[in-house]
Amino acid sequence: MEKENLKRIIAIVCGGDTSEHDVSMRSAAGIESFLDKTLYEPYLIEIHNGQWHARLDSGELAPVDRNDFSFMDGKVRVRPSYAYITIHGAPGENGVLQGYFDLIGMPYSTCNVMVEALTYDKFVCNNYMRSLGVRVAESLLIKRGYDHEVSDDDIVSRIGLPCFVKPASGGSSFGTFKVKEAAALRPAIDAALKEGADVMVEAFMKGTEITCGCYKTKTKQVVFPITEVVPANEFFDYDAKYNGEVQEITPARISDRLTERVQQLTSMIYDLLGCHGIIRIDYIITEGEVINLLEINTTPGMTATSFIPQQVKAAHLDIKEVMTDIIENR
């Protein structure tokens, strides 16, 4: 027997197979709390280590039928009509899940396969954006198995010190290091390679870090107020992101003209890539109010204290209405 419900059944797809699994679960709880329960009945679907399970109100886990993304809740088969993807990392941020949902014909909250795959690889994405005229830091790529083909001296001469060493695909600053001296390069590269097969070495840019969210539907374009990020540590690392070791100031303490330029650039990047749903773009503002792209996040964090909910509040918008916009305007 299939469940009949006047409310639309929403699958909040979370978990994943990377170090960001727990961050994703917190985002899922945030999204569940933001949804308008008069319109939607949400279920958390956790994907982890090849297992797909729906978390039921009873506390039980119900296996998901991958033929149509349905599952049993007691004696009733539940078939969601929409997937809100909030996996930070594989397989939700690299295009894999998007391809699956395209195949079964289920609408979802994020960008399409191509955009997800492109933005998931920071090195590829930044160099693609450079080709479109967007400013990004100098960087080089080191691949697992070939990491000793590039010498420390070569890295220093091409990128300089200090620099950042990070997995090319990943987030939440796992495996990310600010390297100040050549002797620390190789240990940082080795550690980053444990998080992914490709490592990006990126030039340090001194300036003000900011981030700006955006979403567009068939009927509206929304670019959120900008948040200024002032970490207590060397950079915006895991502790800054999730353990409160940071000041997050919304709106950012920058000029109205610079604010407008950043928001225009964010909107332009959204369109150039053909994004969908909510994205968040991180920048560094260097001397002379030069805007430099850091990273494009297509599944940004959605806990109550994450940047996007902060920016929604600063824009005097209702997070429930924003969520409804995303779901109803695919």
Side-chain angles (χ1 to χ4, degrees):
M1 178 174 131
E2 189 160 329
K3 185 169 188 173
E4 294 183 8
N5 201 325
L6 296 176
K7 297 179 183 179
R8 191 171 180 186
I9 298 173
I10 307 299
I12 303 173
V13 189
C14 51
D17 300 323
T18 70
S19 299
E20 295 185 272
H21 173 275
D22 292 348
V23 178
S24 170
M25 299 306 294
R26 295 201 291 271
S27 284
I31 290 167
E32 184 176 26
S33 72
F34 299 148
L35 289 178
D36 187 339
K37 303 305 191 303
T38 66
L39 299 175
Y40 306 118
E41 181 176 357
Y43 282 88
L44 266 60
I45 309 293
E46 183 180 2
I47 294 176
H48 188 53
N49 291 335
Q51 302 296 311
W52 297 24
H53 289 104
R55 291 180 170 268
L56 307 180
D57 289 341
S58 64
E60 297 178 353
L61 298 178
V64 172
D65 183 341
R66 300 185 199 186
N67 291 297
D68 60 2
F69 208 60
S70 67
F71 53 90
M72 298 299 295
D73 189 349
K75 296 182 178 180
V76 177
R77 179 162 295 278
V78 179
R79 198 184 310 272
S81 66
Y82 184 90
Y84 200 109
I85 302 171
T86 188
I87 291 179
H88 310 308
E93 205 169 12
N94 60 356
V96 172
L97 267 185
Q98 288 78 6
Y100 163 77
F101 286 126
D102 284 342
L103 285 172
I104 67 170
M106 182 175 292
Y108 51 85
S109 59
T110 67
C111 307
N112 64 24
V113 173
M114 187 192 77
V115 176
E116 292 295 329
L118 172 66
T119 55
Y120 187 60
D121 189 311
K122 298 180 182 71
F123 183 80
V124 172
C125 182
N126 281 15
N127 281 281
Y128 176 69
M129 297 312 299
R130 188 202 307 274
S131 75
L132 297 175
V134 178
R135 286 181 175 269
V136 298
E138 289 298 321
S139 61
L140 61 81
L141 189 68
I142 297 174
K143 301 186 77 69
R144 182 182 291 158
Y146 295 89
D147 41 301
H148 290 285
E149 297 297 319
V150 181
S151 70
D152 294 353
D153 288 342
D154 194 26
I155 294 172
V156 173
S157 66
R158 291 174 59 183
I159 303 299
L161 292 172
C163 65
F164 284 99
V165 174
K166 63 180 76 171
S169 300
S172 296
S173 297
F174 286 109
T176 298
F177 304 91
K178 184 178 180 181
V179 176
K180 297 181 180 180
E181 53 188 36
L185 270 173
R186 202 53 50 177
I189 291 168
D190 291 343
L193 282 169
K194 293 177 181 178
E195 289 288 331
D198 295 341
V199 167
M200 180 177 178
V201 183
E202 188 175 49
F204 170 73
M205 295 181 290
K206 181 177 175 60
T208 301
E209 185 169 348
I210 60 172
T211 187
C212 182
C214 176
Y215 79 94
K216 301 186 182 186
T217 70
K218 299 169 187 174
T219 59
K220 68 173 69 170
Q221 301 185 29
V222 179
V223 183
F224 296 125
I226 297 166
T227 300
E228 179 181 350
V229 182
V230 187
N233 305 323
E234 284 279 352
F235 65 99
F236 192 43
D237 60 8
Y238 183 90
D239 284 331
K241 289 177 179 177
Y242 304 111
N243 293 328
E245 297 178 13
V246 65
Q247 275 187 285
E248 298 170 357
I249 303 165
T250 311
R253 298 170 299 182
I254 58 178
S255 68
D256 291 344
R257 174 58 185 151
L258 180 55
T259 296
E260 183 181 357
R261 287 172 55 213
V262 170
Q263 290 176 324
Q264 287 175 346
L265 179 58
T266 301
S267 179
M268 183 185 78
I269 291 172
Y270 194 105
D271 292 340
L272 285 172
L273 290 176
C275 293
H276 181 79
I278 298 176
I279 70 166
R280 200 195 77 233
I281 304 182
D282 303 336
Y283 304 95
I284 286 280
I285 308 300
T286 52
E287 188 175 358
E289 294 194 340
V290 176
I291 306 168
N292 304 271
L293 172 70
L294 279 181
E295 186 178 337
I296 299 169
N297 302 279
T298 58
T299 56
M302 290 294 286
T303 69
T305 57
S306 294
F307 288 126
I308 292 298
Q310 288 183 49
Q311 293 176 7
V312 169
K313 184 177 180 180
H316 305 293
L317 298 173
D318 186 335
I319 190 70
K320 285 185 181 179
E321 292 178 2
V322 171
M323 295 290 100
T324 301
D325 275 348
I326 300 301
I327 294 168
E328 298 300 330
N329 286 276
R330 178 65 185 188

